[in-house]
Amino acid sequence: MNKAAVLLLLFGFVIVIIPAAIVIPFTQKASGEMTKQQNTTKSAAHAAQNNSITVSVYRSTQKVTDQVALDDYLVGVVASEMPAKFRLEALKAQAIAARTYIMSRMINNPEVRVNDTVQNQVYHSPDELKTLWGKDYEKKIKKIMQAVTETNNQVVTYDGKLISPVFFSTSNGRTENAKDYWSNDIPYLRSVPSPWDKLSPRYKNKQTLSIQSVEQALGIDLNGVQGAIGKVIKKTDTGHIAEIEIDGKQFTGREVREKLKLSSTDFQLTKNGNTLQAVTVGSGHDVGMSQYGAEGMAREGKTAKQIITYYYQGTQISKMTVKPQKATAKKS
């Protein structure tokens, strides 16, 4: 990949050349109706533009780096990160979030390499998806491709800049403030009600852990203790554990969740003999877009734009244009 050769200052942020292209986000205007032929021509042009952008993806199992065309990468991510059975508008919201994430990374560093795990975005190749989906592959991949195509070049911005579009599976009924999980107060990552999550199969979870593994992970001694474990010192406004004391040691809810690999920071711990049962509500870090919440909103007829701007407060859907070597754009 060639290093950035040109820098442009536009709408308050720096745009750089990436793989023979310049990417310029700007607010999208509603357009008039196009004829079928015009729409087909435009779609073909967009596909050609996006195929000029490749994503370096480190395949963690094969230990190799693949160069994947942008739209193919997005299809692989959406197919891996969200169930294909979800409504199209929820899948479109996921596609917009996935595109925003990777374009933000590439604009900041044209030579960036992402991996195919949750550390960045989960990605599966077409062959891997065929193995995972079997006879349902054609039906599912068609729907995923539609979600990517119908959101072509759409990204999420806040004050003219691409956001960090974090997402997770299921909340406990409210998403979490970024500052309460990561300590960074991000204006568009603020708590919102997400009542749809209660219908998620991941809403309530039970995990059984060995006492030995818990003691080792937390550096504590639970010998002689039975029943409820831990004294909650502080909860966040959304009911997640902020601070908890266990065996005289203080932990953040995030520390306990990550060390014990719990589903969320809304948890209760109970010791029974040589095992510890963890009951959690929600699944994930709870910051940003809830995927099952997005599905719930889509079931109620909400659009991808409404889903995105609900979970990422104060944001807007913007359009990035891709042109060879140079670009001009007008603020809309």
Side-chain angles (χ1 to χ4, degrees), residues 173-325:
R174 289 190 64 90
T175 66
E176 186 68 285
N177 293 305
K179 68 175 183 178
D180 290 329
Y181 193 81
W182 289 307
S183 299
N184 296 323
D185 188 12
I186 301 173
Y188 54 82
L189 295 178
R190 299 234 170 111
S191 176
V192 295
S194 192
W196 311 276
D197 300 52
K198 293 179 180 179
L199 298 178
S200 166
R202 299 182 179 182
Y203 180 66
K204 273 201 171 182
N205 301 275
K206 290 183 180 180
Q207 296 169 254
T208 300
L209 309 170
S210 72
I211 291 300
Q212 183 179 4
S213 67
V214 172
E215 291 178 330
Q216 186 174 19
L218 299 179
I220 58 176
D221 183 359
L222 297 179
N223 185 39
V225 179
Q226 289 295 321
I229 299 296
K231 177 184 177 182
V232 177
I233 300 172
K234 181 182 178 182
K235 284 191 174 184
T236 68
D237 293 339
T238 61
H240 294 82
I241 291 179
E243 297 176 22
I244 187 171
E245 181 180 303
I246 307 175
D247 188 33
K249 294 182 65 175
Q250 288 192 11
F251 302 90
T252 65
R254 178 185 174 185
E255 286 174 330
V256 175
R257 179 200 171 219
E258 293 180 351
K259 288 177 182 294
L260 299 185
K261 296 180 172 58
L262 303 182
S263 294
S264 80
T265 54
D266 185 348
F267 58 81
Q268 291 182 327
L269 308 176
T270 305
K271 184 185 176 189
N272 184 11
N274 292 323
T275 62
L276 182 140
Q277 186 179 74
V279 177
T280 54
V281 181
S283 180
H285 50 60
D286 287 358
V287 181
M289 183 178 72
S290 163
Q291 293 174 313
Y292 274 89
E295 169 67 355
M297 291 183 71
R299 279 200 306 268
E300 294 181 355
K302 299 296 191 295
T303 65
K305 178 180 179 180
Q306 289 173 313
I307 293 168
I308 288 288
T309 55
Y310 178 75
Y311 282 109
Y312 304 117
Q313 291 284 293
T315 65
Q316 60 186 17
I317 302 295
S318 299
K319 194 86 168 178
M320 66 178 196
T321 60
V322 184
K323 295 186 179 181
Q325 299 302 324

Side-chain angles (χ1 to χ4, degrees), residues 15-313:
I15 307 301
V16 300
I17 286 184
I18 61 175
I22 290 180
V23 178
I24 303 180
F26 64 94
T27 304
Q28 182 183 14
K29 279 187 176 180
S31 58
E33 292 185 1
M34 295 186 295
T35 66
K36 183 176 181 181
Q37 181 178 2
Q38 287 173 323
N39 193 44
T40 301
T41 302
K42 188 173 182 181
S43 296
H46 285 159
Q49 290 170 351
N50 289 343
N51 284 336
S52 70
I53 301 177
T54 59
V55 183
S56 296
V57 186
Y58 179 70
R59 309 310 312 281
S60 54
T61 300
Q62 300 92 331
K63 310 296 183 188
V64 297
T65 299
D66 289 345
Q67 300 299 321
V68 185
L70 175 61
D71 281 357
D72 293 338
Y73 172 72
L74 294 174
V75 167
V77 168
V78 175
S80 305
E81 291 281 10
M82 180 176 275
K85 67 180 180 181
F86 276 18
R87 267 68 171 178
L88 181 61
E89 291 302 313
L91 292 167
K92 287 165 67 173
Q94 185 71 61
I96 295 169
R99 183 182 294 107
T100 302
Y101 174 83
I102 191 59
M103 293 314 301
S104 177
R105 294 293 304 274
M106 294 181 74
I107 287 173
N108 287 331
N109 177 11
E111 297 187 13
V112 70
R113 180 179 72 169
V114 295
N115 63 40
D116 58 5
T117 71
V118 293
Q119 183 178 344
N120 295 133
Q121 298 188 117
V122 180
Y123 165 84
H124 287 104
S125 69
D127 286 343
E128 291 165 340
L129 291 172
K130 287 177 183 178
T131 299
L132 290 170
W133 288 342
K135 61 182 177 60
D136 295 327
Y137 173 78
E138 293 297 336
K139 178 183 177 181
K140 289 184 175 181
I141 203 66
K142 182 179 179 180
K143 188 176 180 183
I144 300 296
M145 291 175 70
Q146 182 181 357
V148 172
T149 300
E150 291 189 5
T151 61
N152 187 67
N153 288 342
Q154 292 180 16
V155 289
V156 193
T157 57
Y158 182 86
D159 281 349
K161 298 180 181 179
L162 295 177
I163 72 165
S164 177
V166 294
F167 55 87
F168 63 97
S169 170
T170 306
S171 78
N172 68 349
R174 289 190 64 90
T175 66
E176 186 68 285
N177 293 305
K179 68 175 183 178
D180 290 329
Y181 193 81
W182 289 307
S183 299
N184 296 323
D185 188 12
I186 301 173
Y188 54 82
L189 295 178
R190 299 234 170 111
S191 176
V192 295
S194 192
W196 311 276
D197 300 52
K198 293 179 180 179
L199 298 178
S200 166
R202 299 182 179 182
Y203 180 66
K204 273 201 171 182
N205 301 275
K206 290 183 180 180
Q207 296 169 254
T208 300
L209 309 170
S210 72
I211 291 300
Q212 183 179 4
S213 67
V214 172
E215 291 178 330
Q216 186 174 19
L218 299 179
I220 58 176
D221 183 359
L222 297 179
N223 185 39
V225 179
Q226 289 295 321
I229 299 296
K231 177 184 177 182
V232 177
I233 300 172
K234 181 182 178 182
K235 284 191 174 184
T236 68
D237 293 339
T238 61
H240 294 82
I241 291 179
E243 297 176 22
I244 187 171
E245 181 180 303
I246 307 175
D247 188 33
K249 294 182 65 175
Q250 288 192 11
F251 302 90
T252 65
R254 178 185 174 185
E255 286 174 330
V256 175
R257 179 200 171 219
E258 293 180 351
K259 288 177 182 294
L260 299 185
K261 296 180 172 58
L262 303 182
S263 294
S264 80
T265 54
D266 185 348
F267 58 81
Q268 291 182 327
L269 308 176
T270 305
K271 184 185 176 189
N272 184 11
N274 292 323
T275 62
L276 182 140
Q277 186 179 74
V279 177
T280 54
V281 181
S283 180
H285 50 60
D286 287 358
V287 181
M289 183 178 72
S290 163
Q291 293 174 313
Y292 274 89
E295 169 67 355
M297 291 183 71
R299 279 200 306 268
E300 294 181 355
K302 299 296 191 295
T303 65
K305 178 180 179 180
Q306 289 173 313
I307 293 168
I308 288 288
T309 55
Y310 178 75
Y311 282 109
Y312 304 117
Q313 291 284 293

